[in-house]
Structure formats: C-alpha cells, structure tokens
Amino acid sequence: MSQYNIVKTPVKVGIVGTGYAAARRAEAFNDSPHTELVAVSGNTSEKTATFAQTHHVKTVSSWQDLISDKEIDLICVSNVNYLHGQIIREALLADKHVIVEYPLTIDSKEASELLNLAKAKRKLLHIEHIELLGGVHQAIKQYISKIGNPFLASYETILSKPKVGTHWTYNYHHYGFPLIAALSRINRFTDLFGEVETVSCNARFWDAPESGYFSACWCQAQLMFKNQMGVNITYGKGDKFARSGRVLTIHGDEGVLLFEGEKGRLIQGDKVTDLEVGSRRGLFTQDTEAVLEHLLNDAPIYTTNQHSVYTLKVANAALESYKTKQTLLITDVTHSFIS
C-alpha cells in the first residue's frame, strides 16, 4: 500500500517561480509521460508571461491562486527562499503534493512541523538536493575509500558578480542566511560523514545602495563531526570578488581527493590519477524522475527529508555562531535571518 493518497496519472503540476530551477523543472515535467504541466505563478507579470509561453502553460496571478486550483495535484516550489515554508504549508493543507528546492524553510523551527503535516495528510513532500546526484559527489563516494581514513576537508565556492542589482538572491530577507540558502554546501558533508558535533562560523556582508540588499558576502564555517572529521566551508559571492571558483579537497591518511570545478584528481603520494566526473547537466530531470517513481511506484529515493532538516539544523547553528561569536554544540537552534 502506498504511503500517499491515491495518485492518478498524469499528475497535474503547478510551478511557483520563473527562474533557472523553475525552468529546468518545467522541461522535466513536460518531458515526462507521467505529468502534465498546468500553470505557473511568478513575481512579475512580464517574466511569468514569458515563462508560460516558453513552457506552454497558463499563468495565474499568485501562488495562492495556484494552490487553490482544484485541477492541480502537485505544487513545485522554486521561488524566493523566505516564502518556502508558507507556500508548502498552504499547499499541504490544500491536499497537494509538494516538491521544493532547498531549503525547506529558512525558519528551522517550522521544519519538523511541515514534515509532520505532510505525513498526516499522506502527501509527498520532497526537498531537492541535486548536489548528491552530481558528478563530484558521486566521484567522491566512488573513490573516497582510496584515501584511507578521511580526517580533514575544505570546500570553497566563490561567485564573482560585478553587477548585482536587486535580485532576490542578494536580499537579506528573501534569501536568508547564506549557509541556509546554500544548504547544499553543508549537506554534501553530512551525507558523507554523518552527525556534526560543533559549529563555528564567521561572516561579512556589504550593504548595497538599495535598502534591504547586500552587494557581496562571505561565510566561513568550521564543522567538527562526531567521527573526528574536520570540515571548513567557505561561501562567497558578489561584487567584491575578482574571480569565481569552486575547490573541494578531502584529506585522508593514505591520499587526497581534489576537485577544481568539474575536474577531479586522486593523489596518493607521487601518483596522481585524473578522475572522471559526470556533468551537472540534467540533474533536475534526474531528481524529478526519481520523485515521480517514488510517488507513483513507491520506489526508494536518493535522499530523505529528515536528512535535509538535520542539515538545516546545522546551518542554523552556523547562523547562531555568527551572531554570538561562539563555537556551538549542535542543539535546537531555531533562529531565522531577517534583516
């Protein structure tokens, strides 16, 4: 017996959002024989109209109207982070299935409530974590045994953006604290190394001329895992950075895994082996197909909501550490980042 209420195909889908993730979802839903993309709601009428024309769907004036559409079975939430929790709650209460791009919510105290609501309503609630499907993560899992016992890792992601403007991803309120908004940076390590014991975090923000916006930021978190693994995470973006880059290093007592962008190397003493790393293309389609197989056929899925919520707890501890300037044990940290 399915854990969800009866699902008929094609599953009729509504998307909240018109950005990159929403577009990739629309393509996946239109390509699937199991779904019919029905409608989209967006932040601006012009962008919503363009999106609707491109992906052959109707527009609705608001996410509330999208949720109230009785024709729609599943809501895909791909919009501003601060609204995720509210939209998910209303969608579940309206008996819709839900797919959401991480984070589930920027207010961690409501995370468990949303999971419990989905269970009570017998509705799908899936939090996307495509970083776990990506070539880098799959290569790490394939080769990590070659470096012996891992003990230290670092992950630096820098996005140079000379002209920021007033995009929501640079709005303090809409985006949220960067390590919550960019939850995947922590999530790949909790997937690899398990539970975190302590968190220490520093950050800096540069205010933009427009009220409520920042033009650049960086966050740096140090995680100590219960298995003695140490991880340093650096995330920065905006107009203060001259170059973009992404470097991930994992040290073990018998070697090193090094990934620069999509290029990977296994270093064992003097021996250096180039690693095949799969493309990041098509990950939203992989995620969508996996979710539909789970919804329709009870197939196992590649991640769990409980794991995402745990990582969100760690990210909130990073926020609390930044605010208090203290190293924290992982506890029930429930603060949100609202300027």
Side-chain angles (χ1 to χ4, degrees):
M1 181 179 176
S2 173
Q3 60 184 297
Y4 306 116
N5 288 330
I6 295 173
V7 181
K8 296 180 180 179
T9 56
V11 178
K12 298 190 176 182
V13 181
I15 295 180
V16 185
T18 58
Y20 176 83
R24 303 292 80 76
R25 288 291 183 190
E27 292 166 357
F29 289 128
N30 278 333
D31 287 344
S32 172
H34 305 300
T35 55
E36 178 185 342
L37 187 57
V38 174
V40 61
S41 69
N43 189 43
T44 64
S45 57
E46 183 178 349
K47 287 183 179 179
T48 306
T50 299
F51 186 98
Q53 184 176 15
T54 300
H55 300 287
H56 312 293
V57 294
K58 70 180 181 182
T59 64
V60 295
S61 59
S62 68
W63 62 262
Q64 292 92 339
D65 289 341
L66 194 72
I67 287 172
S68 64
D69 188 334
K70 296 187 183 303
E71 183 185 13
I72 293 173
D73 305 303
L74 185 152
I75 299 291
C76 185
V77 183
S78 304
N79 69 333
V80 294
N81 292 338
Y82 87 103
L83 285 175
H84 284 190
Q86 183 182 358
I87 295 172
I88 292 165
R89 184 181 300 276
E90 294 302 318
L92 291 171
L93 289 172
D95 291 318
K96 311 294 187 186
H97 300 287
V98 179
I99 295 173
V100 59
E101 319 303 347
Y102 66 78
L104 172 67
T105 170
I106 63 172
D107 186 0
S108 68
K109 66 178 180 290
E110 74 172 347
S112 294
E113 296 174 7
L114 295 174
L115 266 58
N116 290 335
L117 179 59
K119 184 176 181 180
K121 300 289 284 186
R122 291 188 63 200
K123 293 296 176 182
L124 167 78
L125 172 56
H126 169 70
I127 309 162
E128 165 266 310
H129 277 287
I130 58 172
E131 75 281 358
L132 303 183
L133 298 172
V136 168
H137 199 73
Q138 293 302 309
I140 291 171
K141 288 199 162 186
Q142 182 177 350
Y143 292 102
I144 197 166
S145 63
K146 304 290 187 182
I147 63 170
N149 295 313
F151 59 87
L152 181 65
S154 64
Y155 187 24
E156 180 181 285
T157 308
I158 301 295
L159 174 63
S160 173
K161 194 164 186 180
K163 294 183 180 180
V164 172
T166 57
H167 194 269
W168 71 267
T169 56
Y170 286 83
N171 181 288
Y172 286 106
H173 179 65
H174 291 181
Y175 189 63
F177 188 64
L179 289 180
I180 294 174
L183 193 66
S184 64
R185 274 67 182 178
I186 300 175
N187 193 65
R188 70 164 68 247
F189 291 110
T190 55
D191 180 70
L192 290 169
F193 304 121
E195 294 185 16
V196 176
E197 187 167 47
T198 63
V199 177
S200 178
C201 181
N202 290 291
R204 182 177 177 184
F205 298 85
W206 287 262
D207 287 337
E210 300 82 6
S211 177
Y213 289 83
F214 58 92
S215 66
C217 72
W218 62 258
C219 291
Q220 194 167 60
Q222 293 78 44
L223 311 181
M224 179 57 70
F225 285 74
K226 290 184 177 180
N227 65 359
Q228 301 282 299
M229 182 75 189
V231 174
N232 299 304
I233 297 171
T234 302
Y235 176 76
K237 66 177 187 175
D239 61 6
K240 301 301 181 187
F241 297 95
R243 294 183 64 186
S244 298
R246 191 173 72 255
V247 180
L248 192 158
T249 309
I250 302 177
H251 296 271
D253 56 15
E254 296 178 10
V256 180
L257 285 172
L258 174 62
F259 296 89
E260 297 175 295
E262 302 305 302
K263 295 182 179 179
R265 285 180 286 169
L266 168 63
I267 303 169
Q268 300 164 299
D270 295 332
K271 181 182 178 182
V272 179
T273 305
D274 291 332
L275 304 180
E276 292 217 12
V277 178
S279 170
R280 291 197 291 173
R281 286 180 171 273
L283 294 182
F284 281 103
T285 296
Q286 287 185 46
D287 178 271
T288 304
E289 290 174 350
V291 174
L292 292 173
E293 278 297 309
H294 177 66
L295 176 64
L296 299 173
N297 300 316
D298 274 339
I301 203 161
Y302 68 93
T303 188
T304 68
N305 291 338
Q306 289 77 12
H307 182 254
S308 182
V309 168
Y310 175 76
T311 305
L312 183 62
K313 179 179 176 180
V314 175
N316 269 273
L319 166 59
E320 185 69 5
S321 173
Y322 158 66
K323 292 167 67 174
T324 62
K325 305 303 179 187
Q326 296 179 348
T327 298
L328 299 180
L329 288 166
I330 297 299
T331 55
D332 291 327
V333 181
T334 58
H335 293 275
S336 58
F337 184 65
I338 297 175
S339 176

